[in-house]
Amino acid sequence: MSAQKTSARRTKPVSAVGAFVGFVGFSALAGLLVTIGVTPAIAVAGVTTTSTIGVFESLPEYIELGDLPQRNEVLAYSGGKPTHLATVYDQNRQELKYDQISENLKNAAIDGEDKRFWHHGGVDMTSLVRAGVGTVAGGGLGDSGGGSTLTMQLVRNIKMQQALELPTQEQRIKAYNEATKVSVSRKLEEMKLAIGLAKKYPKKDILTGYLNIAYFGDQTYGVQAAAQHYFGKSATDLTAAEAASILAIVQSPNTRNLSDPKYYEANVARRDVILKSMYAQKHINTKDFKEAIASKPADYVHLTDPTQGCKAAAGNGSQFFCDYAVQVVKEMSQLGSTQKARDAAWRNGGYTIQTTLNLDLNNAQKDLINAYAPNTEARLALGGVLNSVEADTGRVLTMVQNKNYNQLAGCGTEGADPNACAPATDTGINYSVDERYGGGEGFQTGSTFKPFTLLNWLQNGHGLGEIVNGTPRPFPSFNQCGSPVGVTYTPKNDAPGEGGNMTVENATYRSVNVSYVNMAQKLDYCDIRKTAESLGVHLAAPRETSAEFADDTSKKTTTSVRTNASFVLGTNYIAPLTMAAAYAGIANNGTFCRPIAIDNVTNADGKSLGGQEKDCTQAIDPQVAATAIYALKKVMTIGTAPGARTADGFDEFGKTGTTDEADQIWLVGATTKVATAAWLGNTVGKQNLRYVYGPNGAYAGSRTALWRQAQTIVNTQYPGGQFADPSPAAIRGNSVAVPNVQGQTPEAARAAIAAAGLTYVDGGVQAGGGTPGTVLSTNPAAGLQLSKGSSVTVYTTDGSQTAIPEVTGKQIGDAQDALADAGFTNVSVSKDYPKGNGDNECLVAAVDPGQGTAVSKDTGITLSVYGNKNGKSPKGCR
C-alpha cells in the first residue's frame, strides 16, 4: 500500500514531510526485521535495510530484569512480639511471583496489550506492520498502537526504572527522557533488547517482570501495589473487571488511574476494550463478561491511601523514632560496604527492619508528654521529649516528643527551613537526636552535665566527704590539657544566698554551681571532657575546631564538647538521647553501651543479616560509678527533685538541669535497667519556664512528676534492682595512681596493682600488638588517680595486631614496601585519585585505616594516591 493511497483516505490532510518520516521510520524497522529473520519475511513496498543493519548491530543486545524497588517494612515490639510499625519505600511496590498473580491479570495483560505474546520472539511483526501503517497514515513516528509487545514495554519500563535510580536529579531527568522519547532509534533499541530478553528469560518471567514493574498511576508501581491501593485487596484475587481496570491504566497512568472519579470514564473506555479482547480469546465466559461490562468503577474501587514513610507509622507518636531508625539502618554495613551501595540497597528495598522500639511504652509516654507539654502552647515555642534507653544493651525503648511529625520541606523551596510551612503544632526536627539523624543543634543541658565532673573527681581519688567551698567568687583560670587557661569566671548559684563549705555529696544533691566549679579547679577540664566522652557525650551538631577547644585540630569540624570556663555547668548543646544513654552507662556499673535502634535486618530473600552490634565498654570503674550513684540517689529524695522516686520502690538516681535563664529544663535518671531523659524547653527564644504555667503547674516545676510517671511506665516491663553500695573507702576517697604495667606479664601486673592498693580485674584477651600474653592496656589508663581499692581492668594482648606505619607523603612504591615490611598482606590502591599539583603526583595522600592504628596483618589497607592535575591516574609512579 503506498503512502499516497493511505493519505488519500484520510479526512484530514497530512504533510508530505511527516508522511515521509513515518514511512522511512517504519520501512527501516520492518526491513531490518525481515533481513535479520526475526519473523517470516513479508513484502513491504520500498523497504531498504543496508543502513539500518549497522545501527541495529551497534545497539546493546541484553538488558537484565534485575531487582525492582520494593517496600521496606519497619517493625517494633508490642506485647513482647514483633509488630508492624511502618512501610517505608522509595517506590510503592511489592513484587509477586508468577503463581501469585491473578489469572485475570495475566490474561488482561496479554489480551489487551500483546495477543501473540506466547508465540513471538519479543517483537511481533504483525503488530509492527499494523502500527507502521498507522504511523504512515498519521504522518510521523508516534507511539499510538506502537507495535510494542509486552517484552518491548518491559524493556522501556526497565530503562525508566534505571533512570529513576541514578544519583542526581539532572541525570534522572535526562535518562528518563531518553528512555521515553519517540524516535526510530529508541524503537530500534527496544526491539533489540526485547529480542535479547526473549532469548534469555522464560515467557513467564517476562510477563511477571512486566506486571511487577509497570507504573499504575498515583505513585503505585506493580500490580500488587495497584490492587492494594485501588481495591484494598491482593493482586492474587482480582475479578475480570478489576484486572482489566488496572491494565487499562498502563498506557496513560496519569489520566486513567482510579485515584479520582474524574478518571473513571477514560478508564472504563479502555477497560471495556480489554474485556472484549479477553472474551474473544475465551478467557472469560459470557456471564462474567456481561457482569464486568455492566459494572462501574464505583462498585469495586475502594481507595486505600499508600502508607508511604514514617508519617503513617503505627502507634502513638512513633514517627520520629521510625525516621531515626530508617536513617540508622542506612548506615549499617549489612546493606553494603559503601554509602552508595547502602543507599542503592535501601532503594531496591525488600528489607524487614526489626527495631528496638517498645510500642506499648512509647504510646503511654507520648500521652504523657502531650499532657505535660501541649503542642498547642501559644505563649512560647515549647518542646518536650521523653527517651528511655536499656542500660545493659543501649537499646532505645522509647522516643517521643510533643510536636507532631511533619516533614514539610519549606513549601518546596530548596534549602528552606523544614518547618517553614508546618503549623506550630508540628515539626520536622527530631528533638531527641543529633543533627545528622534529623535533629537540631541540641539543647544546653544545665546541671545534668555535673555527674561527669563528679565521676572525674572520684576517678582522681577524691571522695564524697571532701569539703568544697560553694561561695560565689571569681575564678581567674582553669586547667585544660595540662596547662592553665587565664580566663576570669564568676559563676552564680541558682538559689540566692547559697554557698559556704559543704561536702561534695551535699553539693551534688543540692546542685550548687560554685562548689562544682571549685571541684573542677582541682581537676583538668580535658579529663572531665574525656570522662563525659567515655559515656558517649558529644555535641548534637558539629562545630568548627579550634586550638583552644579541640585536641585534634587536623579536623575541620568536631562534635567534641567545648571546654570553656563554664562547661562543667552544662553549657554545651546535646541531644536528649545522648544524655539518656550516658546515664544508662552510669547505671550499668559504669559500662557504656552505644544507643542501638535496630535489632535485626532481614533481606528480601528472608535471610537474617543481624542488627546493630552491641557496643559496650567499661567507661567508668564500677566503684566510681557506684559512688557517684550513691550521691545522685539523694537528688530524687532530699535534693533538687524531691518526690521523683517512683512509688514502686525501685532504686533510682538522677540529676536535674536548669539553664541560667530557665529556658531549658531537664531531669535525667535511671534504675539498674533503664535510663530516661525528660526535657522541656524553648525551641526558639528564651522564655523563663519558671513563670509560665501549663496543665500541671509551672513548666519548670513539672519535670519531677513528668519523669516519675515516665519511669513508672517503663518499670512495669523493665523492673530494676538495687544499685551496689560503694565501699567506705570509695566514699572517703584515697588518691592512688594506676601503675604503668604495659608489656608486663599478668603476674607482674597483678603484683604492681596490688602494691598500689588497687584491685586487679582480668579483662581478658584483646587483639593488639606486642608479645602475646603480656599486658596491652589497663582501664583506667596508667597515671590516672583512683581511690584505694578501686578496680583496674587489665587487658592482655594476643599479639595479632601491628600499628600501620607512617606512609603519607611517600611514593606509592615506598609506601607499599613499608607496609609489606610491617607484615601487612592486603594492600590496595584506591582508584579515586585526589587532584595533584604536579609536585605531589604519585605520593600517598591518605591511608585507611589511619596511620598508627593497630590492626591485624590481613586487614585490608587502602592507599589514596595523588593523581594528575585532572584527578586521573598518575603516570610513572614507582
Side-chain angles (χ1 to χ4, degrees), residues 389-394 581 585 588 591-595 614-617:
V389 175
E390 191 173 35
D392 60 354
T393 63
N588 189 31
T591 298
F592 168 69
C593 299
R594 298 194 179 279
K614 182 179 174 181
D615 184 5
C616 302
T617 57

Side-chain angles (χ1 to χ4, degrees), residues 450-466 503-505 508 516 519-520 522-524 527-528 531 586 619-632 726-738 758 780 784-791:
K450 285 177 180 171
F452 310 123
T453 299
L454 175 61
L455 289 166
N456 189 249
W457 171 266
L458 298 169
Q459 286 172 327
N460 280 278
H462 298 285
L464 295 180
E466 192 166 337
T503 65
V504 169
E505 180 182 342
T508 298
Y516 260 78
M519 292 163 60
K522 300 177 183 181
L523 306 171
D524 189 302
D527 290 342
I528 298 172
T531 296
I586 300 171
I620 307 296
D621 180 88
Q623 273 291 329
V624 169
T627 306
I629 291 170
Y630 177 85
L632 291 167
S727 68
I731 296 174
R732 182 175 61 251
N734 194 358
S735 180
V736 176
V738 177
L758 300 172
L784 291 182
Q785 300 294 314
L786 298 178
S787 300
K788 278 190 176 181
S790 294
S791 300

Side-chain angles (χ1 to χ4, degrees), residues 104-188:
N104 282 328
L105 266 175
K106 298 171 191 172
N107 293 331
I110 294 171
D111 298 343
E113 299 291 323
D114 188 1
K115 293 183 180 65
R116 283 167 289 279
F117 171 76
W118 297 108
H119 307 292
H120 60 64
V123 177
D124 183 3
M125 195 61 201
T126 304
S127 295
L128 188 68
V129 170
R130 185 188 306 114
V133 172
T135 297
V136 172
L141 189 66
D143 233 15
S144 114
S148 291
T149 63
L150 286 176
T151 314
M152 292 169 65
Q153 292 182 50
L154 175 57
V155 167
R156 188 181 318 148
N157 275 281
I158 291 172
K159 294 184 74 64
M160 289 160 61
Q161 182 59 48
Q162 290 171 341
L164 295 175
E165 293 177 7
L166 292 173
T168 68
Q169 180 74 358
E170 182 180 359
Q171 290 173 315
R172 288 192 289 271
I173 292 173
K174 181 179 179 181
Y176 192 90
N177 289 339
E178 186 68 25
T180 57
K181 71 179 181 181
V182 177
S183 67
V184 172
S185 61
R186 193 211 79 189
K187 185 69 76 173
L188 282 169

Side-chain angles (χ1 to χ4, degrees), residues 14-182:
V14 178
S15 71
V17 173
F20 176 75
V21 171
F23 177 73
V24 171
F26 169 65
S27 297
L29 294 175
L32 179 57
L33 291 175
V34 169
T35 303
I36 65 174
V38 172
T39 60
I42 61 171
V44 181
V47 168
T48 61
T49 65
T50 304
S51 62
T52 13
I53 289 289
V55 175
F56 195 82
E57 289 181 344
S58 69
L59 294 171
E61 185 173 357
Y62 290 114
I63 191 169
E64 298 286 342
L65 288 179
D67 295 326
L68 298 175
Q70 299 184 61
R71 292 176 283 193
N72 300 296
E73 185 178 15
V74 182
L75 306 178
Y77 293 99
S78 180
K81 298 179 180 179
T83 187
H84 176 80
L85 179 63
T87 301
V88 182
Y89 45 79
D90 187 64
Q91 294 178 344
N92 182 14
R93 183 198 312 277
Q94 182 178 347
E95 280 194 74
L96 294 180
K97 296 178 181 179
Y98 181 83
D99 293 339
Q100 295 174 307
I101 300 172
S102 160
E103 291 298 320
N104 282 328
L105 266 175
K106 298 171 191 172
N107 293 331
I110 294 171
D111 298 343
E113 299 291 323
D114 188 1
K115 293 183 180 65
R116 283 167 289 279
F117 171 76
W118 297 108
H119 307 292
H120 60 64
V123 177
D124 183 3
M125 195 61 201
T126 304
S127 295
L128 188 68
V129 170
R130 185 188 306 114
V133 172
T135 297
V136 172
L141 189 66
D143 233 15
S144 114
S148 291
T149 63
L150 286 176
T151 314
M152 292 169 65
Q153 292 182 50
L154 175 57
V155 167
R156 188 181 318 148
N157 275 281
I158 291 172
K159 294 184 74 64
M160 289 160 61
Q161 182 59 48
Q162 290 171 341
L164 295 175
E165 293 177 7
L166 292 173
T168 68
Q169 180 74 358
E170 182 180 359
Q171 290 173 315
R172 288 192 289 271
I173 292 173
K174 181 179 179 181
Y176 192 90
N177 289 339
E178 186 68 25
T180 57
K181 71 179 181 181
V182 177

Side-chain angles (χ1 to χ4, degrees), residues 492-503:
K492 299 177 181 179
N493 292 321
D494 192 51
E498 194 170 40
N501 291 328
M502 64 190 73
T503 65

Side-chain angles (χ1 to χ4, degrees), residues 426-619:
D426 298 6
T427 185
I429 298 172
N430 186 343
Y431 300 143
S432 296
V433 300
D434 294 342
E435 181 183 66
R436 65 182 290 196
Y437 294 116
E441 65 176 2
F443 308 98
Q444 285 189 321
T445 60
S447 294
T448 56
F449 196 86
K450 285 177 180 171
F452 310 123
T453 299
L454 175 61
L455 289 166
N456 189 249
W457 171 266
L458 298 169
Q459 286 172 327
N460 280 278
H462 298 285
L464 295 180
E466 192 166 337
I467 299 298
V468 289
N469 187 347
T471 301
R473 61 196 184 279
F475 292 87
S477 65
F478 61 91
N479 296 317
Q480 179 171 275
C481 301
S483 301
V485 177
V487 176
T488 300
Y489 173 53
T490 307
K492 299 177 181 179
N493 292 321
D494 192 51
E498 194 170 40
N501 291 328
M502 64 190 73
T503 65
V504 169
E505 180 182 342
N506 187 287
T508 298
Y509 66 75
R510 289 169 53 194
S511 196
V512 181
N513 291 339
V514 179
S515 291
Y516 260 78
V517 174
N518 192 7
M519 292 163 60
Q521 290 287 303
K522 300 177 183 181
L523 306 171
D524 189 302
Y525 276 35
C526 286
D527 290 342
I528 298 172
R529 180 177 67 192
K530 289 175 182 177
T531 296
E533 289 176 341
S534 74
L535 289 162
V537 176
H538 59 275
L539 298 179
R543 62 176 176 85
E544 292 185 358
T545 59
S546 68
E548 181 181 359
F549 297 131
D551 294 334
D552 183 3
T553 57
S554 64
K555 298 178 181 179
K556 292 184 179 180
T557 61
T558 180
T559 56
S560 179
V561 296
R562 290 182 179 272
T563 54
N564 53 31
S566 60
F567 103 107
V568 297
L569 301 182
T571 56
N572 282 278
Y573 290 76
I574 298 170
L577 179 61
T578 299
M579 294 300 290
Y583 276 57
I586 300 171
N588 189 31
N589 295 311
T591 298
F592 168 69
C593 299
R594 298 194 179 279
I596 289 175
I598 310 300
D599 275 346
N600 190 51
V601 177
T602 304
N603 67 13
D605 296 325
K607 181 181 178 181
S608 174
L609 306 179
Q612 288 178 276
E613 290 187 11
K614 182 179 174 181
D615 184 5
C616 302
T617 57
Q618 187 71 55

